[in-house]
Amino acid sequence: MRRLGCKKVSESVLENIRKRTELFISEGNRAPSLAVVLVGEDPASQTYVRKKAEAALSLGFVHFQYSLSADTEEKDLLHLIDELNERDDVDGILVQLPLPRSIDADKVIDRIAPEKDVDGFTPINVGRMAIGKEAFIPCTPKGIMETLRYYGIETAGKNVTIIGRSNIVGKPMALLLMQKGADATVTVCNTKTQNLKEHTLSADIVIVAAGHPGTIDESYIKDGAAVIDVGVNRIDDPSKEKGFRLAGDADYDSFRDRDVSITPVPGGVGLMTVSMLMENTLEAAIRRRGR
Ligand code: NAP
């Protein structure tokens, strides 16, 4: 088994962003800025938001944090988005998902100005990406493309099977891989897919984003293939200080004696998601200055 750890990959991306940011500021621009909006107290979301804040501050970005209570009304959240859209000192806006059920997440995402949509979730950015125009690319799929590049895993002419079709992972991942330049042949699976194994066993790369631990094990993967495990699942574990451990969607240990490359969880593509958010924020700052 070859472990495709993402710490070094993400550090090299962050180092590059740091240098580009220093240059940007040395040219007389103010530091890129990111506004992060968190609604409610979901512990996983709080962790993600904290990691994003730490990364932004470590790069010298300006970081604005809005922590709203779970009973925030949709109209008040939309009002905040309108304000952030208008503010000249905000380059990127991120609304941490999931939002409480009482709020229509699509409506909130739609409200973010496309030029500040550093998560790449607004219909304008999704549409632009789909037709291969300049757009903010959703951070997790973008980070996976960077990981494949870093490890020299070729996509052109390869069969890639994606397990999951969500708007934030599966669908944008498929769009990126099928584009000219990436040139993969892509299969996208969902819970109605018949005989999942048939699709994964024929793949050179399997990207699993199902949200369930143990969705695949070594029997689903052919020799020489790569597995990108996007899943982040909390498994109860009283032996851990926090009472849980993290696991991906692939049964990592089952691959130990196989000729397969695989990203671990933790230490895998989750690290890339944060780095790519920082890259998109720098891009937003640069584009908003008209370059
Ligand atoms: P999601 O919205 O729940 O989507 C899961 C997708 O997987 C759905 O399309 C579902 O099919 C499909 N699926 C589930 N079980 C399947 C199975 N056995 N066979 C085939 N398809 C199956 O989840 P998501 O937001 O895409 O996230 C997926 C996972 O990635 C989660 O664990 C999440 O925490 C993690 N994640 C990690 C990062 C990161 O930075 N590392 C970022 C985002 C998400 P249906 O459409 O038919 O229901």
Side-chain angles (χ1 to χ4, degrees):
M1 182 180 86
R2 177 187 181 209
R3 180 183 186 275
L4 305 174
C6 291
K7 194 157 185 286
K8 282 195 180 136
V9 198
S10 78
E11 279 170 1
S12 80
V13 170
L14 289 172
E15 191 45 40
N16 181 265
I17 299 170
R18 190 170 290 115
K19 285 187 185 136
R20 289 175 62 206
T21 303
E22 280 167 13
L23 179 68
F24 182 64
I25 295 171
S26 74
E27 290 171 346
N29 297 295
R30 64 163 173 69
S33 70
L34 175 65
V36 176
V37 182
L38 173 66
V39 186
E41 274 136 35
D42 174 58
S45 293
Q46 284 174 331
T47 305
Y48 294 140
V49 162
R50 196 184 63 244
K51 287 188 174 158
K52 288 165 187 175
E54 284 167 4
L57 294 172
S58 80
L59 290 167
F61 290 8
V62 176
H63 176 262
F64 303 106
Q65 165 100 30
Y66 296 86
S67 298
L68 312 180
S69 67
D71 59 3
T72 298
E73 287 193 33
E74 185 181 283
K75 68 172 172 39
D76 295 326
L77 180 55
L78 291 171
H79 183 69
L80 172 62
I81 303 290
D82 287 342
E83 249 179 59
L84 296 172
N85 283 341
E86 285 301 315
R87 272 175 50 181
D88 192 46
D89 63 339
V90 171
D91 293 313
I93 302 171
L94 177 138
V95 177
Q96 183 65 43
L97 300 177
L99 288 169
R101 282 177 200 280
S102 56
I103 296 177
D104 180 346
D106 286 343
K107 203 167 169 184
V108 173
I109 299 298
D110 276 10
R111 195 71 158 243
I112 299 171
E115 67 274 15
K116 296 190 178 187
D117 168 30
V118 286
D119 247 345
F121 291 163
T122 60
I124 296 273
N125 277 309
V126 174
R128 289 183 64 84
M129 177 181 67
I131 57 171
K133 298 266 186 220
E134 185 181 80
F136 288 113
I137 307 294
C139 301
T140 303
K142 187 176 177 179
I144 291 170
M145 294 304 284
E146 187 63 35
T147 304
L148 293 172
R149 250 193 308 275
Y150 182 91
Y151 281 108
I153 298 169
E154 183 60 76
T155 56
K158 303 293 181 188
N159 292 330
V160 182
T161 293
I162 302 170
I163 306 175
R165 58 174 164 186
S166 72
N167 288 339
I168 63 171
V169 187
K171 261 186 226 164
M173 193 69 249
L175 286 169
L176 288 179
L177 284 161
M178 71 173 73
Q179 250 152 27
K180 266 202 182 307
D183 302 316
T185 303
V186 183
T187 302
V188 184
C189 302
N190 59 68
T191 50
K192 303 284 192 302
T193 298
Q194 301 293 305
N195 203 350
L196 183 66
K197 217 176 215 182
E198 200 173 278
H199 297 289
T200 56
L201 278 172
S202 63
D204 303 295
I205 301 169
V206 173
I207 299 174
V208 56
H212 301 296
T215 300
I216 59 167
D217 63 19
E218 62 87 22
S219 68
Y220 283 69
I221 307 296
K222 71 176 182 184
D223 276 339
V227 177
I228 305 293
D229 191 350
V230 187
V232 180
N233 304 292
R234 287 186 174 208
I235 312 281
D236 289 342
D237 186 344
S239 72
K240 301 283 177 203
E241 200 182 317
K242 290 180 178 163
F244 66 87
R245 64 185 164 83
L246 293 182
D249 287 348
D251 179 355
Y252 187 84
D253 287 335
S254 73
F255 290 90
R256 293 221 179 263
D257 298 326
R258 290 287 311 280
D259 171 23
V260 167
S261 304
I262 178 167
T263 58
V265 178
V269 293
L271 295 169
M272 298 303 293
T273 301
V274 176
S275 311
M276 292 302 148
L277 175 67
M278 300 303 127
E279 191 168 277
N280 282 352
T281 303
L282 173 60
E283 280 303 323
I286 292 171
R287 286 186 210 166
R288 289 185 68 242
R289 309 297 190 283
R291 278 178 298 138

Short mmCIF file of all heavy atoms in Angstrom, two decimals, residues 140 163-166 168-169 189-191 196 209-212 215 230-233 269-270 273, ligand 1:
data_model
loop_
_atom_site.label_atom_id
_atom_site.label_comp_id
_atom_site.label_asym_id
_atom_site.label_seq_id
_atom_site.Cartn_x
_atom_site.Cartn_y
_atom_site.Cartn_z
N THR A 140 -12.88 21.16 -2.06
CA THR A 140 -12.50 19.74 -1.91
C THR A 140 -12.11 19.11 -3.26
O THR A 140 -11.01 18.54 -3.38
CB THR A 140 -13.62 18.95 -1.19
OG1 THR A 140 -13.86 19.60 0.08
CG2 THR A 140 -13.22 17.51 -0.95
N ILE A 163 -17.85 7.80 -6.05
CA ILE A 163 -19.00 7.31 -5.28
C ILE A 163 -19.56 8.52 -4.53
O ILE A 163 -18.93 9.03 -3.61
CB ILE A 163 -18.60 6.19 -4.29
CG1 ILE A 163 -17.87 5.07 -5.04
CG2 ILE A 163 -19.83 5.67 -3.55
CD1 ILE A 163 -17.33 3.96 -4.15
N GLY A 164 -20.72 8.99 -4.99
CA GLY A 164 -21.34 10.19 -4.42
C GLY A 164 -21.56 11.24 -5.50
O GLY A 164 -20.72 11.40 -6.38
N ARG A 165 -22.70 11.92 -5.41
CA ARG A 165 -23.06 12.91 -6.44
C ARG A 165 -23.51 14.23 -5.80
O ARG A 165 -24.38 14.93 -6.33
CB ARG A 165 -24.17 12.36 -7.32
CG ARG A 165 -25.40 11.98 -6.50
CD ARG A 165 -26.57 11.58 -7.35
NE ARG A 165 -27.56 10.88 -6.54
CZ ARG A 165 -28.65 10.30 -7.02
NH1 ARG A 165 -28.89 10.34 -8.32
NH2 ARG A 165 -29.50 9.69 -6.22
N SER A 166 -22.96 14.55 -4.62
CA SER A 166 -23.39 15.79 -3.96
C SER A 166 -22.89 17.00 -4.74
O SER A 166 -21.95 16.90 -5.53
CB SER A 166 -22.86 15.84 -2.53
OG SER A 166 -21.47 16.09 -2.55
N ILE A 168 -21.35 19.45 -3.48
CA ILE A 168 -20.07 19.99 -2.99
C ILE A 168 -18.88 19.09 -3.27
O ILE A 168 -17.76 19.55 -3.30
CB ILE A 168 -20.13 20.38 -1.49
CG1 ILE A 168 -20.39 19.16 -0.61
CG2 ILE A 168 -21.18 21.43 -1.24
CD1 ILE A 168 -20.23 19.51 0.87
N VAL A 169 -19.12 17.80 -3.51
CA VAL A 169 -17.99 16.90 -3.80
C VAL A 169 -18.18 16.16 -5.14
O VAL A 169 -17.47 16.43 -6.11
CB VAL A 169 -17.73 15.88 -2.67
CG1 VAL A 169 -16.44 15.11 -2.95
CG2 VAL A 169 -17.64 16.55 -1.30
N CYS A 189 -21.42 7.33 -9.19
CA CYS A 189 -22.36 6.38 -8.58
C CYS A 189 -23.18 7.04 -7.47
O CYS A 189 -22.74 8.03 -6.86
CB CYS A 189 -21.59 5.21 -7.97
SG CYS A 189 -20.57 4.35 -9.18
N ASN A 190 -24.35 6.48 -7.21
CA ASN A 190 -25.21 6.95 -6.12
C ASN A 190 -25.81 5.72 -5.44
O ASN A 190 -25.46 4.58 -5.79
CB ASN A 190 -26.28 7.91 -6.67
CG ASN A 190 -27.13 7.22 -7.72
OD1 ASN A 190 -27.90 6.31 -7.40
ND2 ASN A 190 -26.98 7.61 -8.98
N THR A 191 -26.73 5.95 -4.50
CA THR A 191 -27.24 4.81 -3.73
C THR A 191 -28.11 3.86 -4.57
O THR A 191 -28.37 2.74 -4.15
CB THR A 191 -28.07 5.28 -2.51
OG1 THR A 191 -29.03 6.24 -2.96
CG2 THR A 191 -27.19 5.92 -1.45
N LEU A 196 -22.13 -1.78 -7.37
CA LEU A 196 -21.08 -0.75 -7.20
C LEU A 196 -19.69 -1.32 -7.50
O LEU A 196 -18.85 -0.68 -8.13
CB LEU A 196 -21.15 -0.23 -5.76
CG LEU A 196 -20.20 0.88 -5.36
CD1 LEU A 196 -20.52 2.16 -6.13
CD2 LEU A 196 -20.28 1.15 -3.86
N ALA A 209 -16.88 9.45 -1.72
CA ALA A 209 -17.44 10.56 -0.95
C ALA A 209 -18.88 10.22 -0.63
O ALA A 209 -19.82 10.88 -1.08
CB ALA A 209 -17.35 11.87 -1.73
N ALA A 210 -19.07 9.15 0.13
CA ALA A 210 -20.41 8.63 0.43
C ALA A 210 -20.89 9.06 1.81
O ALA A 210 -22.09 9.15 2.07
CB ALA A 210 -20.40 7.11 0.34
N GLY A 211 -19.95 9.31 2.70
CA GLY A 211 -20.32 9.72 4.06
C GLY A 211 -20.65 8.54 4.96
O GLY A 211 -21.31 8.72 6.00
N HIS A 212 -20.17 7.34 4.58
CA HIS A 212 -20.39 6.15 5.42
C HIS A 212 -19.08 5.36 5.56
O HIS A 212 -18.51 4.98 4.53
CB HIS A 212 -21.43 5.22 4.81
CG HIS A 212 -22.76 5.87 4.60
ND1 HIS A 212 -23.53 6.31 5.66
CD2 HIS A 212 -23.42 6.19 3.48
CE1 HIS A 212 -24.63 6.86 5.18
NE2 HIS A 212 -24.59 6.81 3.86
N THR A 215 -17.67 1.99 3.26
CA THR A 215 -18.40 1.91 1.97
C THR A 215 -17.65 1.01 0.99
O THR A 215 -18.25 0.25 0.23
CB THR A 215 -18.59 3.32 1.37
OG1 THR A 215 -19.35 4.11 2.29
CG2 THR A 215 -19.33 3.27 0.03
N VAL A 230 -12.63 10.74 0.65
CA VAL A 230 -13.10 12.07 1.05
C VAL A 230 -13.87 12.02 2.37
O VAL A 230 -13.99 13.01 3.07
CB VAL A 230 -14.00 12.68 -0.06
CG1 VAL A 230 -14.35 14.13 0.25
CG2 VAL A 230 -13.33 12.60 -1.42
N GLY A 231 -14.40 10.87 2.70
CA GLY A 231 -15.27 10.76 3.86
C GLY A 231 -14.63 11.19 5.16
O GLY A 231 -13.44 10.95 5.40
N VAL A 232 -15.41 11.85 5.99
CA VAL A 232 -14.97 12.18 7.34
C VAL A 232 -16.09 11.72 8.27
O VAL A 232 -17.17 12.33 8.29
CB VAL A 232 -14.73 13.69 7.53
CG1 VAL A 232 -14.28 13.98 8.96
CG2 VAL A 232 -13.68 14.20 6.54
N ASN A 233 -15.86 10.63 8.97
CA ASN A 233 -16.90 10.06 9.83
C ASN A 233 -16.39 9.99 11.26
O ASN A 233 -15.25 9.59 11.50
CB ASN A 233 -17.24 8.64 9.35
CG ASN A 233 -17.66 8.61 7.89
OD1 ASN A 233 -18.71 9.13 7.54
ND2 ASN A 233 -16.83 8.04 7.02
N VAL A 269 -7.27 14.34 2.23
CA VAL A 269 -7.72 15.48 1.42
C VAL A 269 -8.44 16.58 2.22
O VAL A 269 -8.60 17.69 1.72
CB VAL A 269 -8.59 15.03 0.22
CG1 VAL A 269 -7.77 14.26 -0.78
CG2 VAL A 269 -9.80 14.23 0.67
N GLY A 270 -8.82 16.29 3.47
CA GLY A 270 -9.41 17.33 4.31
C GLY A 270 -8.45 18.51 4.48
O GLY A 270 -8.87 19.67 4.51
N THR A 273 -8.65 20.85 1.50
CA THR A 273 -9.85 21.69 1.40
C THR A 273 -9.57 23.08 1.97
O THR A 273 -9.91 24.10 1.36
CB THR A 273 -11.02 21.01 2.15
OG1 THR A 273 -11.24 19.73 1.56
CG2 THR A 273 -12.29 21.83 2.05
P1 NAP B 1 -23.75 13.76 0.91
O1 NAP B 1 -24.33 15.05 0.48
O2 NAP B 1 -24.41 12.99 1.99
O3 NAP B 1 -23.64 12.83 -0.38
C1 NAP B 1 -23.26 11.49 -0.30
C2 NAP B 1 -23.40 10.89 -1.67
O4 NAP B 1 -22.93 9.55 -1.63
C3 NAP B 1 -24.84 10.84 -2.19
O5 NAP B 1 -24.86 11.20 -3.55
C4 NAP B 1 -25.23 9.37 -2.01
O6 NAP B 1 -26.14 8.93 -2.99
C5 NAP B 1 -23.89 8.68 -2.21
N1 NAP B 1 -23.80 7.40 -1.51
C6 NAP B 1 -23.88 7.16 -0.20
N2 NAP B 1 -23.72 5.85 0.06
C7 NAP B 1 -23.49 5.25 -1.13
C8 NAP B 1 -23.26 3.93 -1.55
N3 NAP B 1 -23.19 2.91 -0.66
N4 NAP B 1 -23.12 3.67 -2.86
C9 NAP B 1 -23.17 4.65 -3.77
N5 NAP B 1 -23.39 5.96 -3.45
C10 NAP B 1 -23.56 6.23 -2.14
O7 NAP B 1 -22.24 13.92 1.38
P2 NAP B 1 -21.10 14.96 0.90
O8 NAP B 1 -21.41 16.30 1.44
O9 NAP B 1 -20.77 14.78 -0.54
O10 NAP B 1 -19.88 14.36 1.76
C11 NAP B 1 -19.44 13.03 1.61
C12 NAP B 1 -18.43 12.73 2.68
O11 NAP B 1 -17.30 13.56 2.47
C13 NAP B 1 -18.88 13.01 4.10
O12 NAP B 1 -18.28 12.07 4.97
C14 NAP B 1 -18.34 14.40 4.39
O13 NAP B 1 -18.11 14.61 5.78
C15 NAP B 1 -17.05 14.34 3.64
N6 NAP B 1 -16.53 15.64 3.21
C16 NAP B 1 -15.22 15.86 3.45
C17 NAP B 1 -14.65 17.03 3.02
C18 NAP B 1 -13.22 17.23 3.28
O14 NAP B 1 -12.76 18.36 3.24
N7 NAP B 1 -12.46 16.17 3.51
C19 NAP B 1 -15.41 18.00 2.37
C20 NAP B 1 -16.76 17.72 2.11
C21 NAP B 1 -17.31 16.52 2.54
P3 NAP B 1 -27.65 9.51 -3.14
O15 NAP B 1 -27.50 10.80 -3.87
O16 NAP B 1 -28.37 8.47 -3.92
O17 NAP B 1 -28.16 9.68 -1.73
#
